[in-house]
Amino acid sequence: MTKDRKPEEISSDILKGSEGKSIPELLKEMPNEKLIKSFYIIENSPEVTQLRVLQDILKSAENTEFGKKYGFAETKTVDMFRKKVPISDYSQLAAEIDRLKAGAANIFFDGSAASFIATSGSTGVPKLLPESKNGELVKGLVSQIRAILLLMLAPEVVAPGKKVLAIANPSEYGKTEGGIPIGSASGQAAKDMPIEMLKKMVLPPEMMMAKELSNEATDYLTIRYALEEKNLVGVVCSNIAHFNILLKKMNAAAADLLEDIRAGQISPKISLDEDLRQRLVSKLSPNPDRAEELKTILAKNKSLDVAGIWPEFSVVSCWMSSSAAKIVADVKKNLPATVKFLEWGYGASEGKFNIPDKAQDPAGLLALFGYFFEFLPVGTEGNETVLAHELKKGGYYQLIITSYSGLYRYNMKDIVYVAEMNNQIPRVVFVCKDSERLDIENLKLMIYEIEGSIQAVSTQQNQEIRFFQILLDADQRKLVFMLEPCSETLDGELFRAALDKSLMANNRDYRKLRNDNILAAPEVLVMQDGYRDSLFTRAIMPGKNVNQTKLPTIVKEYPDKSSIIHWAKEGEK
C-alpha cells in the first residue's frame, strides 16, 4: 500500500517519467490539487529528487554541443557531473548566448531558445538569458505553486468579488535578431499565474500586455484602476517600494484621479498611444458614487489612506528578504496592522529558486523539481560544493544552479542563508549578491555582517533605520555610513560610536583593519527623510521602473550635501 512506502520511493515514482516526457512536462499536466501533493512529497526526499532532476536535465541535453563536449550521455551520478563540468558564470557563456539570440539551436539544450529574459545584471550592463521550453515550464510551475500556496495562506483573496493589484513588468519587450521574444522575469511570473488569480486582477489585460507605456503612464493607470476598485484585498509585486511610491503619487494626483473615476475617462495629461487609450476608455464607465466616496475620505482623513479607500485590504506578497526587509517594515506603518505579508519568492532572470510556504516569513522551500542545486560554503577555499540535503542550519552559501535552460554549474553569485533544516529539508532565504562586500587589504567585509551590526545598534538605541548605504573613502581610509532614520531623534555621534564598537566586537576582519590602523574611525551621515525614495526615482534605467530597480548598498560617491542633516565624526559634536 502507498502509505507503507518510503517518501523517496513515492518521489522517485512521480519523477521517473513516462512516454519520453520530461519532469516539468509531467508536473505541468497535473491538476492543482495533485501538483501540490506531489510538490510536498518531492520536497520530503531531496537527495532522490535532486539526482532524478539532474539525470533528466542531462538526458534532455545529451545531444547538444555542450552535452557532447562533457559527455552527458555517460554521466549518471552527481560526482561524475561535478568532476566533468566546471563551475561557470555568464562571461563564459556569452559567445554561445549570442549565437542563440541569432536563432542557433542545440547549443546548451535541445532546440532553439523559446525566449530570452532581460536582466540588468549586478553590474548594470544589460544581458539576455536563454530559456528552453522546459525552462519556461519550470518557471511556470514555480509561479503556479507559489500562487496556489498564496491562496491557501490568504483565502480571503478568492472570496467572490474581491480583486488583487499585480504590479509586474511586460511579459515581452521585443525580439532578438533571430526573432525570439525577450521578456522580464516578473512579467513572465504574472503570465504564469493560475486562472483563479488572473480573474482577480484589477488591471485590464490591454494595459498589462502593453509594451511601450512610459513609467509615468503605467503608474498613473495602475493607481487609477486600483483606486476605483473598492474591493481590492491585496497587492502582488516584487519590489514593495513601487507600491509605496504609488501611494504617494496617488495623493499627489488625487484631483485628476477622482475626476477620471467620476467621468469614466483617462486624463488627457497622460501620454498614451491613441489606439490603447481608446481600447481602455471603451471599457470604462462613469462612477460618480465612487468618486464622491473617495472625495469624502480625502476630506476626512486629509489623504487617500489604504484603510479608508480599501477597507478589506489584507494581503501583500512581495520580496521580504535582504534590503527589501527595511522597505517592508516602512510600508507596514501605512497599512492596517492586520495585513499579512507573504514572501514573493527568491528568484532571478536565471530561475525561480524557492517557494515560500509560511506567512510573515521570507524563507522558502527549494524548487527541487526544477533545478539541480549546489552550494559553496561562504568563507571556505576551493570549489567543493555541498548538496541541498547536506546544508547546515544557520549557514551562508553561494548558490550554484544547473537548469533545463542550459546553465550548468552556473554560479549565481548570490549568498543564501539556511533558515531551517528539518529532516534534510532546507528552507532558504536570499541574503545578498556576493559582490556586496568591501575588499580591503585582502580582507572581506560582507554587507550582511555589517547590516547585522547596524540592526543590533538600532535595537539597542530604540531607533529604526529606514535605509543605509556604505562608502569606502580610500583616500581618508574610512567607512562612511549614510543612514536614513525613521525618526528625528537619531543621535548620529552616539550611533557612530556604538556601530564602531559593535563591528570591532563581532567582525574579526574589521577589528584587524581598525587595530592595524588601516581603517580610521567610521563616520555617519544622517540623511533627510525621503532620501531612499529619491534615489529610486533617480536610479530608474530607461525602459525600467521601480519594480525592476534595486538600490546599491555600496556606493562610490558622497551624497549631495543638501540631503545630509548631520555628519557625525569621531571627536566632533
Side-chain angles (χ1 to χ4, degrees):
M1 295 177 63
T2 301
K3 67 179 181 180
D4 296 322
R5 300 170 66 203
K6 295 179 180 179
E8 54 266 30
E9 293 175 342
I10 302 173
S11 174
S12 183
D13 280 351
I14 292 172
L15 300 175
K16 68 182 179 182
S18 64
E19 301 176 358
K21 293 181 180 178
S22 67
I23 291 171
E25 288 172 328
L26 289 170
L27 293 175
K28 193 64 180 176
E29 292 176 349
M30 295 181 180
N32 286 345
E33 184 177 353
K34 184 176 180 180
L35 177 62
I36 290 298
K37 288 181 178 178
S38 298
F39 165 67
Y40 279 112
I41 290 172
I42 288 168
E43 290 295 312
N44 280 323
S45 51
E47 186 174 6
V48 170
T49 295
Q50 284 285 270
L51 176 59
R52 281 290 298 114
V53 169
L54 176 61
Q55 291 170 339
D56 196 46
I57 291 173
L58 298 184
K59 181 175 177 56
S60 68
E62 62 185 23
N63 293 319
T64 65
E65 292 181 19
F66 204 88
K68 291 176 181 177
K69 178 180 178 180
Y70 289 102
F72 283 0
E74 297 79 40
T75 305
K76 305 300 182 184
T77 67
V78 170
D79 284 343
M80 288 177 67
F81 176 65
R82 290 195 286 196
K83 287 176 182 177
K84 286 184 176 184
V85 181
I87 292 174
S88 63
D89 60 27
Y90 187 87
S91 64
Q92 294 160 289
L93 309 177
E96 284 75 19
I97 289 175
D98 284 342
R99 291 171 57 203
L100 283 168
K101 286 190 285 186
N106 303 318
I107 298 176
F108 297 124
F109 46 80
D110 185 41
S112 58
S115 62
F116 281 85
I117 302 299
T119 175
S120 62
S122 57
T123 63
V125 178
K127 60 185 182 183
L128 298 180
L129 288 153
E131 201 76 89
S132 70
K133 291 180 181 178
N134 273 325
E136 285 189 336
L137 284 178
V138 167
K139 285 184 174 179
L141 284 163
V142 174
S143 294
Q144 183 178 350
I145 295 170
R146 285 176 178 176
I148 294 169
L149 291 181
L150 185 152
L151 295 176
M152 292 170 65
L153 292 167
E156 58 268 39
V157 171
V158 297
K162 307 309 176 189
K163 293 290 185 178
V164 174
L165 173 62
I167 304 174
N169 308 310
S171 59
E172 184 179 325
Y173 289 126
K175 297 184 185 296
T176 68
E177 57 267 36
I180 301 170
I182 301 171
S184 69
S186 66
Q188 187 183 58
K191 182 184 70 175
D192 291 331
M193 283 185 180
I195 190 67
E196 295 89 345
M197 281 290 285
L198 290 175
K199 290 178 180 178
K200 295 288 181 179
M201 296 298 108
V202 72
L203 299 181
E206 294 87 350
M207 178 193 158
M208 295 182 73
M209 298 301 292
K211 298 177 185 178
E212 297 183 2
L213 276 178
S214 68
N215 288 333
E216 178 188 16
T218 299
D219 285 354
Y220 184 88
L221 290 173
T222 298
I223 300 165
R224 189 247 181 271
Y225 282 101
L227 190 55
E228 184 169 3
E229 180 53 69
K230 182 176 181 178
N231 293 320
L232 190 76
V233 294
V235 62
V236 177
C237 63
S238 51
N239 191 344
I240 195 62
H242 196 176
F243 182 59
N244 204 30
I245 289 173
L246 289 179
L247 294 177
K248 294 178 181 180
K249 287 186 174 183
M250 179 172 65
N251 281 283
D256 288 340
L257 289 163
L258 268 58
E259 176 58 23
D260 279 359
I261 292 169
R262 185 196 67 78
Q265 66 180 24
I266 295 172
S267 171
K269 298 177 184 178
I270 303 303
S271 177
L272 287 177
D273 172 80
E274 194 55 37
D275 178 64
L276 176 62
R277 181 186 292 274
Q278 290 179 9
R279 284 187 287 130
L280 292 174
V281 172
S282 69
K283 296 185 177 180
L284 294 173
S285 300
N287 194 344
D289 291 344
R290 178 60 172 164
E292 188 61 32
E293 181 180 35
L294 293 169
K295 184 179 178 181
T296 301
I297 293 169
L298 181 60
K300 178 181 178 181
N301 300 341
K302 308 303 180 185
S303 70
L304 293 170
D305 63 301
V306 170
I309 61 179
W310 301 310
E312 295 183 76
F313 191 91
S314 58
V315 181
V316 173
S317 179
C318 65
W319 286 328
M320 293 172 60
S321 64
S322 187
S323 58
K326 292 188 179 299
I327 303 176
V328 168
D330 198 31
V331 172
K332 280 184 176 180
K333 298 171 186 174
N334 299 319
L335 301 179
T338 54
V339 172
K340 286 183 284 194
F341 275 75
L342 308 174
E343 169 63 44
W344 165 269
Y346 164 41
S349 298
E350 291 88 344
K352 302 179 185 298
F353 305 129
N354 81 348
I355 297 176
D357 60 331
K358 297 180 182 179
Q360 321 286 8
D361 187 345
L365 297 166
L366 287 169
L368 298 174
F369 59 83
Y371 307 89
F372 177 69
F373 294 105
E374 297 176 70
F375 302 84
L376 275 173
V378 171
T380 59
E381 298 296 329
N383 287 330
E384 292 296 319
T385 60
V386 297
L387 305 182
H389 67 283
E390 298 171 327
L391 294 171
K392 303 295 183 185
K393 180 180 178 180
Y396 289 88
Y397 301 85
Q398 277 194 52
L399 179 65
I400 313 293
I401 67 161
T402 293
S403 76
Y404 283 93
S405 289
L407 301 178
Y408 301 103
R409 305 201 76 202
Y410 181 90
N411 192 339
M412 287 295 301
K413 299 183 179 178
D414 288 352
I415 304 295
V416 298
Y417 173 75
V418 182
E420 189 177 319
M421 197 72 185
N422 183 19
N423 292 328
Q424 296 188 329
I425 305 167
R427 297 181 74 251
V428 304
V429 60
F430 170 75
V431 175
C432 65
K433 300 297 292 184
D434 180 61
S435 59
E436 291 185 76
R437 66 174 189 265
L438 295 166
D439 295 309
I440 309 171
E441 296 289 328
N442 296 319
L443 298 176
K444 296 179 181 180
L445 300 180
M446 299 302 297
I447 290 303
Y448 66 83
E449 295 174 324
I450 294 175
E451 183 172 11
S453 286
I454 292 175
Q455 185 60 48
V457 174
S458 300
T459 302
Q460 183 185 70
Q461 297 188 0
N462 197 28
Q463 292 286 345
E464 186 176 342
I465 303 301
R466 175 177 290 125
F467 176 69
F468 77 92
Q469 289 181 316
I470 306 170
L471 181 145
L472 172 60
D473 188 326
D475 293 335
Q476 300 294 321
R477 300 180 300 106
K478 63 187 178 185
L479 294 182
V480 181
F481 294 86
M482 286 144 276
L483 309 178
E484 181 187 349
C486 290
S487 73
E488 299 178 357
T489 62
L490 180 73
D491 185 318
E493 173 52 31
L494 191 64
F495 198 99
R496 185 207 67 79
L499 180 57
D500 187 33
K501 182 179 179 181
S502 175
L503 288 168
M504 288 278 284
N506 299 308
N507 192 298
R508 180 182 60 188
D509 287 356
Y510 181 86
R511 182 166 60 249
K512 179 172 176 55
L513 291 168
R514 289 283 281 119
N515 288 339
D516 292 350
N517 293 317
I518 296 171
L519 277 182
E523 298 179 1
V524 164
L525 307 185
V526 182
M527 310 306 293
Q528 286 185 343
D529 182 58
Y531 177 66
R532 180 195 64 204
D533 288 350
S534 71
L535 292 181
F536 268 121
T537 302
R538 282 179 278 169
I540 297 173
M541 298 172 64
K544 303 290 185 180
N545 56 36
V546 176
N547 211 37
Q548 299 163 281
T549 303
K550 296 179 182 178
L551 296 177
T553 303
I554 300 171
V555 295
K556 297 181 179 180
E557 297 180 356
Y558 282 91
D560 189 283
K561 289 184 179 180
S562 63
S563 301
I564 303 171
I565 297 174
H566 176 65
W567 196 320
K569 304 179 181 181
E570 185 179 45
E572 295 185 15
K573 295 292 186 181

